[in-house]
Amino acid sequence: MRTTRRALAAVVGATALLVTSACGPGEDDTAASTVEVFTWWAGGGEKAGLDALAGLFTESCPGQRFESGVVPGGAGVDAKQVLAARLQHNDAPDTFQVHAGAELLDHIDADQVRDLSAEYRTWGLRDALPAGLVADLTVNDRIYSVPAGVHRANVVWTNDQVLADAGILVAPKTLKEFIGNLERLRRSGVESPLALGRDWTQLMLLESVLISDLGPKRFSGLFTGTTKWDSRAVELAIEDYARIVEFSNTDRDSLDWPEATRLLIDGKAGYQLMGDWVTAEMAANTFSGYDSFTFPGNGMAFQWLADSFVLTTGAANPEGARCWLETVASPRGQQAFSVRKGSIPARTDAPTDGFTDYQLEAVADWRSGTPVPSCAHGSACSQPWQNAANAALGAFSTSGDATALRSALAAAAKQFIRQP
Ligand code: BGC
């Protein structure tokens, strides 16, 4: 192990940087070349998905040894800080997890990731991935990352018993109905009807409200400059958002997403807006008393994000990293990962055996829905933009100052938007 990793984790104050390999105790792995795979998948379905890929990698890439560099924390908010520090100190892992789309741009500009166009040709990947996703992954005719799976962000999860106890038996279709149900839950004695977590989960909620109030096209325009943040429509959406946040747990800023999901599982809340990686968390907690629906008013919008992997320019073992990427890209890799992680394969030809009904529906919705990107999960926003938006949401959670929130979001857009 490169010693600098531990030192750097200490420098950036990360919660933990765990490095594990796929070799068992006592196994002789000295002859193998190591591939360090950097992610934030430390537990639950996230780790199970990563482990499945690691197993396939060990099988398919003889002479290569998997080493997991993992920094826990939902949406990678902590991992990305550690990664940035490592890249700056020329201590790149061989490959790292990054969201497809805008989040990748800064790494490309900084020449931290390699062009994978030749690998895409060799592996036939352009034809196996949906054309829209390939377009989102392509920058100046080059392609720099391999998607492991696609998640949907704009989904509300329920605790059916809590809802039934309050006499709520049908999914709300509009924001107004949703707010009505939140009021009803509170009247029936549920103190915090909506389970909510820290900053980035609040940004997810705001994004869903914006999709409802602005529609998919104008929502997407917020990140390309065709929709203004300082408009009356955004102001009204922020009012709706503020109203909804009033129904959430007051300790939200100190909870990561699995802890907020715990509130739902324990019957302390009736609803949670979260990406569909939640299904793996429900399974890990053997909780089946839940249902889900698209955020009220989002219509056919499929707010997507894709976890992808890159080959770093500083990779100590580029050949091994290529074999990792090929494993991730393979139909078997995509199935094995998604079945545990709760995502859906990015490839259109990957097998879907073992998928839940929810996942099969998500596969169909991904084909027929209106794709909308996510800022909280990097398909719409660069990393600095995400940081600024998260900070604005965290500040609002404490102050409740809607005007300050709108100004901060407008300022972030002005500062970080990229002109095409
Ligand atoms: C990632 C998912 C992950 C989720 C929560 C998202 O940004 O794309 O893979 O499960 O964050 O950590």
Side-chain angles (χ1 to χ4, degrees), residues 40-41 46 73-76 97 99 151 200 257 277 305 307 341 377:
W40 60 87
W41 293 331
E46 300 187 339
Q97 172 191 0
H99 291 118
H151 275 297
W200 63 269
W257 72 270
W277 45 87
L305 55 118
D307 289 305
K341 176 74 169 60
H377 302 286

Side-chain angles (χ1 to χ4, degrees), residues 25-26 71 97 105 127 199 218 231 238 248 255 280-281 311 399 413:
V71 177
Q97 172 191 0
L105 297 178
D127 295 334
D199 49 10
R218 282 202 297 157
S231 66
I238 289 179
S248 71
L255 305 189
E281 189 67 15
L311 171 55
S399 71

Side-chain angles (χ1 to χ4, degrees), residues 309-332:
F309 284 92
V310 295
L311 171 55
T312 58
T313 42
N317 179 6
E319 274 325 299
R322 277 195 190 89
C323 203
W324 166 258
L325 296 177
E326 192 173 1
T327 307
V328 169
S330 68
R332 225 177 125 212

Side-chain angles (χ1 to χ4, degrees), residues 192-405:
S192 312
L194 180 73
L196 191 57
R198 58 177 293 196
D199 49 10
W200 63 269
T201 75
Q202 297 164 19
L203 176 59
M204 286 183 74
L205 179 62
L206 173 64
E207 290 190 62
S208 283
V209 174
L210 283 164
I211 297 171
S212 289
D213 284 348
L214 270 61
K217 195 160 168 225
R218 282 202 297 157
F219 170 80
S220 301
L222 288 169
F223 306 101
T224 58
T226 56
T227 306
K228 298 276 163 271
W229 281 92
D230 48 8
S231 66
R232 178 74 184 133
V234 171
E235 190 178 346
L236 290 175
I238 289 179
E239 277 173 22
D240 283 335
Y241 168 75
R243 179 89 189 96
I244 293 172
V245 171
E246 281 170 24
F247 293 99
S248 71
N249 41 298
T250 48
D251 61 353
R252 54 188 172 260
D253 298 322
S254 61
L255 305 189
D256 205 341
W257 72 270
E259 291 143 10
T261 301
R262 191 76 242 175
L263 296 177
L264 192 74
I265 294 174
D266 289 346
K268 298 203 171 106
Y271 296 118
Q272 182 187 19
L273 176 278
M274 192 36 61
D276 51 14
W277 45 87
V278 149
T279 53
E281 189 67 15
M282 303 288 204
N285 284 281
T286 59
F287 179 68
S288 57
Y290 71 94
D291 222 322
S292 67
F293 52 84
T294 304
F295 190 82
N298 278 200
M300 296 288 285
F302 187 113
Q303 193 183 30
W304 70 275
L305 55 118
D307 289 305
S308 69
F309 284 92
V310 295
L311 171 55
T312 58
T313 42
N317 179 6
E319 274 325 299
R322 277 195 190 89
C323 203
W324 166 258
L325 296 177
E326 192 173 1
T327 307
V328 169
S330 68
R332 225 177 125 212
Q334 300 246 313
Q335 185 270 346
F337 174 74
S338 274
V339 90
R340 289 163 186 83
K341 176 74 169 60
S343 48
I344 58 172
R347 291 182 77 111
T348 51
D349 59 352
T352 52
D353 29 304
F355 279 27
T356 60
D357 289 347
Y358 171 82
Q359 279 172 306
L360 295 173
E361 266 171 46
V363 169
D365 289 350
W366 174 232
R367 284 192 190 136
S368 60
T370 309
V372 170
S374 152
C375 179
H377 302 286
S379 40
C381 293
S382 65
Q383 192 54 55
W385 194 343
Q386 289 169 51
N387 293 342
N390 286 340
L393 268 299
F396 173 78
S397 179
T398 314
S399 71
D401 185 340
T403 310
L405 174 59

Side-chain angles (χ1 to χ4, degrees), residues 25-274:
E27 268 179 65
D28 179 11
D29 59 310
T30 43
S33 304
T34 296
V35 177
E36 191 201 347
V37 178
F38 183 93
T39 72
W40 60 87
W41 293 331
E46 300 187 339
K47 181 168 186 304
L50 180 64
D51 287 349
L53 285 175
L56 275 182
F57 167 76
T58 307
E59 229 176 277
S60 327
C61 306
Q64 299 292 344
R65 187 175 143 276
F66 172 85
E67 183 179 276
S68 171
V70 68
V71 177
V77 279
D78 299 320
K80 290 177 201 168
Q81 315 256 3
V82 175
L83 178 69
R86 284 189 55 179
L87 292 172
Q88 213 187 351
H89 289 83
N90 296 322
D91 179 33
D94 298 293
T95 177
F96 61 82
Q97 172 191 0
V98 61
H99 291 118
E103 188 175 299
L104 197 51
L105 297 178
D106 293 327
H107 293 298
I108 297 171
D109 287 351
D111 197 24
Q112 292 162 340
V113 293
R114 298 196 198 189
D115 175 17
L116 297 170
S117 306
E119 285 78 3
Y120 262 66
R121 272 192 298 278
T122 313
W123 302 335
L125 264 189
R126 276 183 196 273
D127 295 334
L129 297 173
L133 183 57
V134 171
D136 284 315
L137 287 165
T138 303
V139 179
N140 297 333
D141 294 328
R142 296 181 179 173
I143 197 152
Y144 294 85
S145 77
V146 169
V150 172
H151 275 297
R152 185 176 194 173
N154 57 333
V155 188
V156 179
W157 307 90
T158 65
N159 179 314
D160 288 343
Q161 191 59 54
V162 173
L163 297 184
D165 289 347
I168 299 169
L169 302 172
V170 210
K173 292 270 173 302
T174 61
L175 265 189
K176 205 170 158 222
E177 281 175 28
F178 186 46
I179 293 172
N181 286 359
L182 291 168
E183 279 164 351
R184 189 170 179 158
L185 279 164
R186 185 163 277 165
R187 273 200 311 274
S188 78
V190 183
E191 202 183 316
S192 312
L194 180 73
L196 191 57
R198 58 177 293 196
D199 49 10
W200 63 269
T201 75
Q202 297 164 19
L203 176 59
M204 286 183 74
L205 179 62
L206 173 64
E207 290 190 62
S208 283
V209 174
L210 283 164
I211 297 171
S212 289
D213 284 348
L214 270 61
K217 195 160 168 225
R218 282 202 297 157
F219 170 80
S220 301
L222 288 169
F223 306 101
T224 58
T226 56
T227 306
K228 298 276 163 271
W229 281 92
D230 48 8
S231 66
R232 178 74 184 133
V234 171
E235 190 178 346
L236 290 175
I238 289 179
E239 277 173 22
D240 283 335
Y241 168 75
R243 179 89 189 96
I244 293 172
V245 171
E246 281 170 24
F247 293 99
S248 71
N249 41 298
T250 48
D251 61 353
R252 54 188 172 260
D253 298 322
S254 61
L255 305 189
D256 205 341
W257 72 270
E259 291 143 10
T261 301
R262 191 76 242 175
L263 296 177
L264 192 74
I265 294 174
D266 289 346
K268 298 203 171 106
Y271 296 118
Q272 182 187 19
L273 176 278
M274 192 36 61

